[in-house]
Amino acid sequence: MKNKRMERKKIMEELTRNDILDSAVTILLDSGIKNFTVDAVASGAGIAKGTVYLYFKSKNKLLDAVLDRAYLPLQQDLHEIILTKEDPLKKLENCITVCLQHTEDNKFLLKQLRTVLFATMDIRISDKNSWYWILADMLGKVLEESAASGMIRPVNFVKVSALFIDSINSLMAHRILSDVKETIDQDVDEMMDLYLNGLKTN
């Protein structure tokens, strides 16, 4: 009986947390970061303001959680790509494509969260459990698979995957912060060519 009560409590807490995050996303999409308040989030979730603070210690912590949630579908998409039987380099190309497409699909939300993203990137890089390292680990596996297939030379897969993630993040930031004329395919082709062939002419 006690276990069932604890399980129900855990489910209710998760539902409340999701309601808070849903409300936060709605406010960001409807009103932008300048009009984002904990009061508005609480009202949208149908709970007291104090309840929000039980789940998130500050407004910044809440925005940080919204950002992590925004990247969760991308993690799932990348995981699915890595599990496919595709050619390893095609997987790499597909990984860049879904990252950039995710940015385009969530451009307004990510633009509202850009201050949080840039301000907390150092924290995410130092946290080995953050989405940054989850993505880097996924790409590292693809690079390792590419090397095992003889498609690329052996490298320090952790470092190169981090460089790859940073390059993708730069392209994503470019799309968030400016009007990009290049298509996603053009950006993907250029990045793949740069990493595979470098800058030197033959």
Side-chain angles (χ1 to χ4, degrees), residues 78 81 86-101 139 142-143 146 164 168 184-193 196:
L78 290 173
I81 289 170
E86 284 268 21
D87 170 289
L89 291 183
K90 184 63 179 174
K91 286 185 187 182
L92 207 56
E93 186 179 316
N94 289 342
C95 284
I96 305 170
T97 301
V98 297
C99 285
L100 298 185
Q101 189 61 58
L139 286 175
V142 177
L143 290 169
S146 300
F164 218 84
I168 294 172
I184 288 174
D185 287 341
Q186 286 174 322
D187 275 351
V188 172
D189 289 344
E190 188 165 2
M191 185 170 169
M192 287 294 290
D193 183 54
L196 295 177

Side-chain angles (χ1 to χ4, degrees), residues 1-201:
M1 181 70 79
K2 185 179 178 181
N3 286 341
K4 284 186 177 179
R5 279 201 303 269
M6 288 178 67
E7 191 174 329
R8 275 200 301 272
K9 183 183 177 186
K10 187 176 179 181
I11 291 170
M12 291 306 295
E13 286 176 348
E14 189 61 30
L15 287 172
T16 301
R17 188 176 190 276
N18 285 333
D19 285 345
I20 293 169
L21 291 172
D22 285 343
S23 176
V25 169
T26 299
I27 291 163
L28 285 168
L29 291 176
D30 290 348
S31 308
I33 193 77
K34 289 181 179 178
N35 298 305
F36 184 89
T37 65
V38 174
D39 285 298
V41 171
S43 177
I47 57 176
K49 181 179 178 180
T51 304
V52 176
Y53 286 116
L54 288 176
Y55 290 84
F56 305 98
K57 292 181 180 179
S58 67
K59 176 177 156 181
N60 285 341
K61 290 288 184 185
L62 173 55
L63 287 169
D64 206 32
V66 172
L67 182 62
D68 281 340
R69 191 194 214 202
Y71 276 92
L72 187 58
L74 179 57
Q75 292 176 34
Q76 294 167 341
D77 288 344
L78 290 173
H79 186 64
E80 287 176 12
I81 289 170
I82 287 163
L83 292 178
T84 65
K85 302 289 186 184
E86 284 268 21
D87 170 289
L89 291 183
K90 184 63 179 174
K91 286 185 187 182
L92 207 56
E93 186 179 316
N94 289 342
C95 284
I96 305 170
T97 301
V98 297
C99 285
L100 298 185
Q101 189 61 58
H102 177 266
T103 302
E104 286 297 321
D105 293 343
N106 298 278
K107 190 170 184 176
F108 185 79
L109 177 62
L110 293 175
K111 190 169 185 177
Q112 302 310 305
L113 293 167
R114 66 189 183 279
T115 305
V116 180
L117 176 61
F118 299 145
T120 59
M121 186 53 77
D122 58 333
I123 296 171
R124 288 183 164 82
I125 292 173
S126 62
D127 178 7
K128 293 297 182 181
N129 295 314
S130 72
W131 55 260
Y132 176 92
W133 286 109
I134 291 171
L135 299 186
D137 183 60
M138 290 179 183
L139 286 175
K141 286 181 172 59
V142 177
L143 290 169
E144 198 166 354
E145 190 181 344
S146 300
S149 302
M151 296 176 173
I152 63 171
R153 63 181 174 83
V155 291
N156 183 318
F157 300 112
V158 175
K159 286 185 178 178
V160 174
S161 65
L163 288 171
F164 218 84
I165 282 287
D166 289 342
S167 298
I168 294 172
N169 281 340
S170 293
L171 285 176
M172 292 168 77
H174 188 58
R175 286 186 171 273
I176 291 169
L177 299 174
S178 61
D179 294 323
V180 178
K181 293 183 174 60
E182 294 81 10
T183 66
I184 288 174
D185 287 341
Q186 286 174 322
D187 275 351
V188 172
D189 289 344
E190 188 165 2
M191 185 170 169
M192 287 294 290
D193 183 54
L194 181 62
Y195 270 88
L196 295 177
N197 301 314
L199 292 171
K200 287 185 177 180
T201 57

